[in-house]
Amino acid sequence: MIKKITIVLLILITGFSCSNKNKNIVNAEEDYQIIPKPTSLEFTNGRFLVDSNTKIVGNSSLENEGNYLADMLNAATGENISFNPADANQGNIHLKIDDSIENEEGYTLDVSFDKIVITGKTPQGVFYGIQSLRQLIPVPTEGSTGAINLLIPAVSIKDSPRYVYRGMHLDVGRHFFPVEVIKEYIDLIAMHKMNTFHWHLTEDQGWRIEIKKYPKLTEIGAYRKETLVGHGATAKLDREYDGKPYGGFYTQDEVKEIVAYAAQRHVTVIPEIELPGHSLAAIAAYPELGNTGEQYEVGTRWGVFPEIYAPTDKTFEFLEDVLTEVMELFPSKYIHIGGDEAPKKQWEESKFAQQLIKREGLKDEHELQSYFIRRIEKFLNSKGRDIIGWDEILEGGLAPNATVMSWRGIEGGIEAAKQHHKVIMTPGTHCYFDHYQVPEEDRANEILAIGGYLSVEKVYSYEPTPEELTEEEQKYILGAQGNVWTEYIKTSDHLEYMVLPRLTALSEVVWSSKNNRNWEDFNGRLKHLVKRYDALGLNYAKHIFQEENAIEE
Ligand code: ACM
């Protein structure tokens, strides 16, 4: 009996002194290095200890977020912490929904020595609170196998994003990335509180999504016989090819798996099915979709090809069938239909296209492209979806409900906003992460890239809302996106190198308010975040730290 009492007393005393010890730990600004920078952050002394007594509780609508947090803490500590929706008042980590928070994605995070409370207007907000919490957790825990004494510094954060659209794009047409790499990419997007993955699924050099009604799209269209080496010579005969067949595609089951994985992380996947240009792989699979009847091969070099879809009923039937299967796989409100870089020469030379121009009273081939896009838009609108197109869809007249992705600079975005169309900013000057990260004179040891020069600092300097717009027009700017074209990017290691830390910089551009952004301050926080990248085994570019880069090919 005496022994029992002693043990109970001992437990009480050690428990008390331990929490008391944690209560008095002195914190410093150093301990709060969050990217993107939160709207407001106040810290005090004390630390919350995650251990076997930790219990996560909350409303059952937060089960996904509760399990995500439990997995994160268990991976770090080796404990067996779980989320328990039934015990709303019993735990010491509370996840809550609060309708009074204004922003749909906003959250508050309060950490004290004995309690953590994460509150969101929506589960998405709670998820972002968890991402901030993650960046307060000591770095070695990322990617660790547990058994770490995990102390989280006390803080009170109120936070919400500036833009509703915070995206990253990936071209899987030029090079194919396996499901696991796509999931890692989605993890990166989510970690930085971005919310959209624009998945560029069809290209001249490869059709990457299984379409049941048209099996040749992947049997033929997903494979090319070889690939151009390097940038390739201008003269056709001087170009060198590697002689190696290349290809791959995602089955519909894999697509579903990826869309579900993204949804758990509050990332919307927007598929892009390119039309009317960048369609050589589809025309190679089904030559009747082309203008010439010729049998083509899937593209083996880069650049813009003359082949575009013929504007026939057969093509529209094909595209509607394809989009019907695509809509079954992707619940996103938006479907991206491409629209960029569609040379009109084949339409100029096509008897059918010229007759159609006459019959429809169109002025020229640009208006024919507009007719093409409007017809597809009408179909998608009838199914409750909206289209996004690259800024060329302005030429010949915008489809009535289209959202414009401004990539050839910001002018297309400005024009669309003035016409009261929604806009996503992705100008090549600030958002093309396939460009070099150093100026030309410093590229001796740099891996081959498409061209251009886009530093992390320049990404960070980007202001997505153009001054030229009135306050009313500015509301049409939904946000911005980083684009990753993969002509020269073949491995996940190289992909990480191209996006990190430019994605990191963009995440703050689209999340944090303009007056809360400061390059020096960001740079300081980035030095902390890259330690987390190191722990996760991510291959970020190190130019701004004056350190050596390495890429596994
Ligand atoms: C693009 O970069 N062709 C949209």
Side-chain angles (χ1 to χ4, degrees):
M1 184 63 177
I2 289 185
K3 211 171 168 190
K4 245 188 192 166
I5 291 174
T6 319
I7 289 172
V8 169
L9 271 176
L10 255 176
I11 288 172
L12 278 175
I13 291 164
T14 42
F16 180 73
S17 62
C18 175
S19 57
N20 232 11
K21 194 177 84 196
N22 295 338
K23 190 176 177 179
N24 295 323
I25 297 177
V26 177
N27 296 317
E29 187 149 4
E30 253 299 273
D31 302 315
Y32 305 89
Q33 303 289 326
I34 298 174
I35 295 178
K37 191 166 176 97
T39 312
S40 84
L41 182 154
E42 286 168 21
F43 67 90
T44 50
N45 290 337
R47 293 198 181 185
F48 179 94
L49 174 70
V50 180
D51 62 10
S52 57
N53 294 317
T54 303
K55 280 201 185 74
I56 310 169
V57 294
N59 190 287
S60 59
S61 68
L62 294 169
E63 185 148 17
N64 172 57
E65 292 65 36
N67 291 336
Y68 180 93
L69 175 58
D71 287 349
M72 188 176 101
L73 297 178
N74 290 335
T77 58
E79 298 290 353
N80 194 18
I81 298 160
S82 63
F83 172 70
N84 193 339
D87 267 354
N89 295 311
Q90 299 297 316
N92 49 5
I93 300 186
H94 299 259
L95 306 184
K96 293 182 175 172
I97 294 290
D98 180 354
D99 254 356
S100 70
I101 293 177
E102 248 174 59
N103 191 298
E104 288 294 316
E105 299 175 280
Y107 71 92
T108 60
L109 165 63
D110 291 284
V111 179
S112 56
F113 80 100
D114 61 350
K115 195 162 82 170
I116 294 178
V117 183
I118 303 176
T119 310
K121 172 147 185 146
T122 59
Q124 190 169 358
V126 172
F127 183 79
Y128 294 141
I130 293 170
Q131 290 304 333
S132 286
L133 185 71
R134 175 183 186 177
Q135 291 192 36
L136 296 177
I137 289 174
V139 165
T141 61
E142 287 279 12
S144 82
T145 47
I148 284 188
N149 198 4
L150 207 156
L151 285 161
I152 304 177
V155 76
S156 178
I157 291 175
K158 284 189 179 39
D159 199 10
S160 59
R162 179 176 176 197
Y163 291 103
V164 293
Y165 188 105
R166 307 180 301 279
M168 281 301 297
H169 151 285
L170 182 65
D171 163 22
V172 295
R174 274 54 177 264
H175 283 103
F176 174 78
F177 295 87
V179 171
E180 284 316 307
V181 176
I182 302 295
K183 286 184 178 173
E184 283 165 21
Y185 199 68
I186 289 166
D187 281 335
L188 274 185
I189 292 172
M191 178 182 183
H192 295 83
K193 303 193 180 86
M194 295 173 98
N195 61 7
T196 307
F197 171 41
H198 169 177
W199 201 3
H200 184 83
L201 282 163
T202 69
E203 257 307 336
D204 299 307
Q205 299 85 1
W207 181 284
R208 305 280 175 234
I209 177 171
E210 177 190 23
I211 300 294
K212 306 254 190 216
K213 196 160 180 181
Y214 298 94
K216 284 197 275 185
L217 283 173
T218 42
E219 282 165 19
I220 295 172
Y223 299 92
R224 58 179 180 256
K225 72 168 194 250
E226 58 188 357
T227 303
L228 183 73
V229 173
H231 280 146
T234 316
K236 213 169 166 178
L237 287 175
D238 294 341
R239 288 181 197 147
E240 193 191 329
Y241 290 84
D242 66 3
K244 292 184 210 151
Y246 182 90
F249 67 93
Y250 307 95
T251 65
Q252 293 204 349
D253 281 344
E254 287 172 331
V255 170
K256 282 182 205 158
E257 187 185 325
I258 285 167
V259 170
Y261 186 87
Q264 284 173 344
R265 286 150 185 79
H266 297 281
V267 172
T268 300
V269 187
I270 297 181
E272 180 177 353
I273 304 296
E274 272 267 20
L275 54 93
H278 285 291
S279 49
L280 178 56
I283 297 171
Y286 294 97
E288 61 272 30
L289 301 172
N291 294 279
T292 65
E294 257 176 81
Q295 176 62 62
Y296 294 98
E297 285 184 348
V298 175
T300 55
R301 61 170 178 88
W302 318 125
V304 176
F305 289 79
E307 287 73 33
I308 63 172
Y309 287 122
T312 57
D313 286 346
K314 188 159 194 71
T315 295
F316 286 106
E317 188 187 322
F318 163 81
L319 288 170
E320 288 183 10
D321 288 342
V322 167
L323 290 167
T324 298
E325 290 193 34
V326 165
M327 282 187 282
E328 279 163 17
L329 297 168
F330 295 90
S332 60
K333 174 84 178 153
Y334 293 111
I335 306 285
H336 201 303
I337 51 76
D340 61 320
E341 299 178 323
K344 308 293 185 295
K345 193 155 183 287
Q346 287 199 339
W347 283 354
E348 284 164 20
E349 291 167 357
S350 150
K351 212 162 127 191
F352 178 85
Q354 291 306 314
Q355 280 168 354
L356 183 62
I357 286 175
K358 230 185 238 152
R359 195 173 77 222
E360 293 292 328
L362 305 170
K363 199 168 85 209
D364 55 17
E365 291 73 23
H366 292 294
E367 287 201 0
L368 179 56
Q369 163 143 336
S370 177
Y371 163 88
F372 200 111
I373 306 269
R374 280 170 202 256
R375 216 167 134 170
I376 294 295
E377 181 187 64
K378 203 166 162 197
F379 172 72
L380 288 171
N381 284 170
S382 78
K383 308 290 177 198
R385 308 299 181 101
D386 286 338
I387 66 164
I388 301 176
W390 299 109
D391 58 50
E392 286 93 329
I393 67 168
L394 280 151
E395 294 160 8
L398 260 186
N401 305 308
T403 296
V404 171
M405 205 165 247
S406 191
W407 72 279
R408 296 176 301 176
I410 61 171
E411 293 71 23
I414 292 172
E415 177 56 31
K418 282 184 188 297
Q419 292 184 35
H420 293 182
H421 280 253
K422 291 181 196 150
V423 172
I424 297 152
M425 286 297 196
T426 66
T429 49
H430 294 79
C431 294
Y432 269 49
F433 297 171
D434 55 340
H435 290 181
Y436 281 104
Q437 312 195 50
V438 288
E440 206 155 352
E441 59 273 21
D442 297 335
R443 286 182 196 157
N445 298 318
E446 207 51 34
I447 189 162
L448 189 73
I450 196 160
Y453 167 38
L454 177 59
S455 66
V456 184
E457 189 164 2
K458 187 159 181 198
V459 176
Y460 194 78
S461 75
Y462 185 49
E463 170 49 39
T465 301
E467 278 175 5
E468 294 88 331
L469 299 176
T470 65
E471 213 171 296
E472 183 56 30
E473 290 162 350
Q474 288 183 357
K475 292 187 186 138
Y476 290 93
I477 308 294
L478 301 183
Q481 172 177 286
N483 289 341
V484 185
W485 303 101
T486 59
E487 287 92 337
Y488 303 97
I489 306 171
K490 299 176 196 156
T491 66
S492 60
D493 211 51
H494 189 182
L495 177 61
E496 289 163 12
Y497 173 78
M498 297 309 273
V499 302
L500 296 173
R502 293 188 285 197
L503 175 158
T504 326
L506 186 66
S507 77
E508 190 149 305
V509 169
V510 287
W511 179 280
S512 307
S513 65
K514 203 170 160 183
N515 58 15
N516 207 11
R517 271 167 45 199
N518 173 292
W519 167 250
E520 295 303 326
D521 178 56
F522 170 79
N523 214 339
R525 280 176 290 121
L526 185 59
K527 288 196 177 85
H528 287 259
L529 188 58
V530 295
K531 289 184 203 149
R532 206 167 287 279
Y533 294 166
D534 281 330
L536 287 165
L538 293 165
N539 185 34
Y540 56 94
K542 301 184 175 68
H543 308 97
I544 58 169
F545 310 115
Q546 275 91 44
E547 286 175 37
E548 290 244 335
N549 294 297
I551 299 163
E552 279 173 31
E553 280 215 75

